[in-house]
Every structure is written in structure tokens, then in C-alpha cells.
Amino acid sequence: MTRRNKIRGISAAGLLAVPVLLSGCSLFGSQSSMDIDKPPVGIEQQMLNMTEGPVSTNKGEQTGPMTTVYLMNEKRMLAPVSLGIPESKDTDHMKQALQALVSEGTYAKFVPKGFVGLLPKGTQVNSVTVDQNQKMAVVEFNSAFNKYNAPDERRILEAITWTLTGFSGVQSVQLWVDGQRLTEMPLNGTPLDQPLSRSFGINLQKADGASLTNSTPVTVYFATATPDGVYSYYVPVTRLVQPEPGQNKITAALNQLIQGPQQDDGLEQVMTDGTEVQSVKSEKDGTVTVSLKDDMFEKNDPIPSELLQSVVLTVSENAGNAKVKIDMNGQSQVVSNDNMDYSKPVSRPDYINEIPI
């Protein structure tokens, strides 16, 4: 038995339900800044010792078109969750998505167990308009929006921004309350003099050796599981890093993925400490080819799907939604342990984390 066959990772329906597009065809459907702790000693052995388990493919009944919103989990981390919210003749999809963020709101019954929306109870979305020239969504809430919990101020801004910038044609967000534009948040005073974009980050952390004034933000995707351990899903983490001289942003992000998650944040390491990024190349058509090396895998070994999917999500997030091709140990034929082919360029999924209610 190869070492790879002993790895289970944390594959489960929530991860495997991620629809990756191959050549246009569907294959399958404020945390404060802090230093990153080194991954625990023996993390590779922990991965090797995981036992194979059954993988459920039941995603639950969908009640309407998929809408991805950013909700807080039990570890107070924000994660994208794709909900099947029924269509409404009187409400467009962006407004519905924001309403799904309201605690005990209209769409609370569609939120999976273990997740909560961060907008205060009673918050109403008065309007959402898009300035097409600036690609900016202008959102107006009622005054109940101001009654949020102060420690959640940054998370609320992240949830709103990442939810709306997931829609085509939206790159930034401007907030209003009862006809007045917000220039800062009411409680902790987070500045809002400029529209918010994904450069604001999400689940913000500071990597070892990086400074707040001289660093580069990169966003990486780790995996975790629902409280019952049945379904797994991805969580984006923005880290402020100090890239090595000549190192590009994508390589810096992949190195953070290898370094692994911070202790006690509930996230799982998807690569071993022995994984190496041999090269990152951008092709003329915009495709990014990532060459990895990990002696854990022998020739023609299937690669854990959570490793490959995390790479696709991480690279595309840091490369303007570019398609991604992955080589492993010099082999261009890369197939995951759920029989998905990553040898050709794949796009980031339209929807991830389809978690049953």
C-alpha cells in the first residue's frame, strides 16, 4: 500500500460537491491580526494515520437557484455557503443574498446548522443598485444595521463585501443607512471613505515575519468540517505575508497553503510540510500552471481532491479568476481520488460549499 492510500484528508460531500469546470464543461456539481503558529509537529503523520471513511454525496434538496453568501461558523470564521433560496418576484438576487445574512431573518431557515448571519436582527435591505461604470454595488440598510455587536464589525464588512463581489459585474461595495452614506462604521469606526473590495481581505491574519505596513495580502483556502463531521467545506483566509525577493503573489499564497492553518481556528491542513512549489507559470491564454512536488505520492497515484481543489481556489483567487492547471512530481496527468481530471485547465467553481440544511 502506498503512503497516499493511507490518506483520507477530510473528504466529504461538502467538499466533493464543489463543481469544477473543465474547458467550459461541468464535471461535478474581525478577527484581529496575529502571528501564525508553526504547524504542529507530526502533522504529516496525523494525515497519514487518518482512516478511510465513507463519503456521502447527498447534498440535500435545493429549494431554488443557488446563491453564495458568507456566514460565520462556530469558530467565528467566515465561509462561503451556497444556499438554495427561492426566487422572489419582488427581490433581486443581490438583495436576497444580503437578507440571508440577517440574523433570524427571512431566509434563516435556509442556513445550515453551525452557521449564522452577522447582520443584526431586524436589519432590512432597503435597496441594492449597481453603478455599472464603477462596478460598484451601493447598498442601503435601515437603522437596525447599526445595532451590531462591536467585535463583529470587521467580519460584517467582510461578509457583505465578499457576498456582493461574488456577483458578476460587482468589484466593490458602498454602504448607506437610511439615506446617509457611511464614511465610517458606527461603533468601532472602521473607515469607509473608499468603497470596499476583496482587497479588504477575509478572516485576516498576519504571517510570521510580515509587518502591517510592508506586506502583501494573499488569500488561501483551507478545509474544515461541519459540527457533526459529516460535511466538509472550504474557508478563505487572507494572510499578510512578506514574499521572498522575486517571489510572485501566487507562489507566496501556495507557500502559505503548505504552511497550513493557524492552530485552534478549526481548519485542516490540506498539504504536508514536505510539499514544494517547483514553479508557477502564466500562459498566454491566462491559464496558470502550478507544478508541485510531494514525495508522498508515487507515479499515477490519485491525489486527494481537497488538496487539488484548495490549489484551484487559492490560485484563482489570487490571479483574477484564472484557470488553473496542476502538475505533480513532474507528471502532467493528475487525477484526484474522486476520479476528477486536473490535467487540463480548470476554472474556479460557480458555487462551493453546498451544505444541506
Side-chain angles (χ1 to χ4, degrees):
M1 179 181 292
T2 67
R3 297 173 72 198
R4 186 276 314 161
N5 286 332
K6 298 178 184 177
I7 286 186
R8 176 177 179 268
I10 57 169
S11 291
L15 284 174
L16 301 180
V18 178
V20 175
L21 304 182
L22 174 58
S23 299
C25 299
S26 178
L27 283 175
F28 55 98
S30 145
Q31 182 163 323
S32 59
S33 299
M34 59 188 73
D35 289 341
I36 303 295
D37 289 316
K38 225 182 149 180
V41 176
I43 186 68
E44 178 174 347
Q45 189 60 45
Q46 292 177 29
M47 294 175 71
L48 291 171
N49 290 339
M50 290 179 181
T51 58
E52 293 287 349
V55 176
S56 171
T57 57
N58 175 27
K59 293 183 286 184
E61 181 181 355
Q62 297 299 333
T63 56
M66 298 305 296
T67 301
T68 301
V69 301
Y70 283 74
L71 304 171
M72 187 174 71
N73 69 12
E74 293 186 332
K75 289 289 187 176
R76 303 186 67 77
M77 304 285 284
L78 288 173
V81 180
S82 294
L83 309 178
I85 299 176
E87 287 186 291
S88 171
K89 294 181 180 179
D90 303 323
T91 308
D92 65 28
H93 287 168
M94 281 190 285
K95 191 172 182 180
Q96 281 187 298
L98 291 176
Q99 289 175 335
L101 302 182
V102 178
S103 176
E104 300 181 38
T106 305
Y107 301 113
K109 64 181 179 181
F110 298 101
V111 173
K113 184 178 180 181
F115 295 90
V116 295
L118 284 173
L119 297 186
K121 181 180 178 180
T123 299
Q124 295 179 5
V125 185
N126 293 339
S127 65
V128 181
T129 58
V130 177
D131 183 325
Q132 295 183 352
N133 291 329
Q134 298 187 54
K135 297 183 178 180
M136 179 177 67
V138 180
V139 183
E140 182 180 352
F141 296 106
N142 69 342
S143 59
F145 172 81
N146 295 335
K147 299 177 182 179
Y148 58 87
N149 294 322
D152 289 330
E153 183 168 288
R154 181 180 175 89
R155 292 187 188 90
I156 288 171
L157 293 175
E158 292 173 1
I160 294 170
T161 301
W162 282 67
T163 293
L164 290 180
T165 53
F167 286 87
S168 177
V170 177
Q171 295 182 357
S172 63
V173 178
Q174 186 182 89
L175 301 183
W176 293 59
V177 172
D178 281 347
Q180 297 293 319
R181 179 187 168 187
L182 293 182
T183 57
E184 65 178 21
M185 287 293 279
L187 300 186
N188 288 345
T190 301
L192 297 175
D193 50 327
Q194 297 293 327
L196 296 174
S197 68
R198 289 201 173 193
S199 63
F200 186 67
I202 188 167
N203 297 318
L204 191 65
Q205 300 174 352
K206 183 171 73 69
D208 235 358
S211 68
L212 293 176
T213 57
N214 186 23
S215 59
T216 298
V218 297
T219 299
V220 298
Y221 282 77
F222 296 112
T224 189
T226 53
D228 57 12
V230 175
Y231 298 96
S232 297
Y233 60 96
Y234 294 108
V235 175
V237 172
T238 299
R239 283 189 180 162
L240 302 176
V241 302
Q242 188 68 49
E244 298 175 5
Q247 186 180 73
N248 61 37
K249 184 175 181 179
I250 300 172
T251 302
L254 290 170
N255 284 334
Q256 290 300 312
L257 192 63
I258 293 169
Q259 181 175 336
Q262 182 180 347
Q263 285 184 303
D264 302 323
D265 61 10
L267 304 180
E268 298 288 343
Q269 186 161 357
V270 296
M271 294 184 180
T272 68
D273 297 339
T275 308
E276 297 178 15
V277 181
Q278 293 192 304
S279 66
V280 174
K281 299 179 180 178
S282 296
E283 311 296 342
K284 291 182 179 180
D285 63 357
T287 298
V288 176
T289 300
V290 176
S291 296
L292 301 174
K293 180 182 178 181
D294 192 332
D295 293 337
M296 175 179 291
F297 306 109
E298 298 178 2
K299 185 176 180 180
N300 298 324
D301 272 350
I303 310 300
S305 61
E306 61 270 19
L307 184 161
L308 297 171
Q309 292 172 13
S310 290
V311 169
V312 170
L313 288 168
T314 296
V315 172
S316 63
E317 188 68 60
N318 292 279
N321 292 333
K323 290 185 178 181
V324 184
K325 182 180 180 296
I326 303 173
D327 296 342
M328 178 66 76
N329 294 334
Q331 300 296 312
S332 60
Q333 292 300 114
V334 176
V335 178
S336 66
N337 58 358
D338 57 351
N339 296 318
M340 297 299 110
D341 186 359
Y342 287 80
S343 304
K344 298 178 182 179
V346 298
S347 300
R348 69 175 293 129
D350 290 329
Y351 304 103
I352 64 173
N353 299 340
E354 298 178 40
I355 303 171
I357 299 173

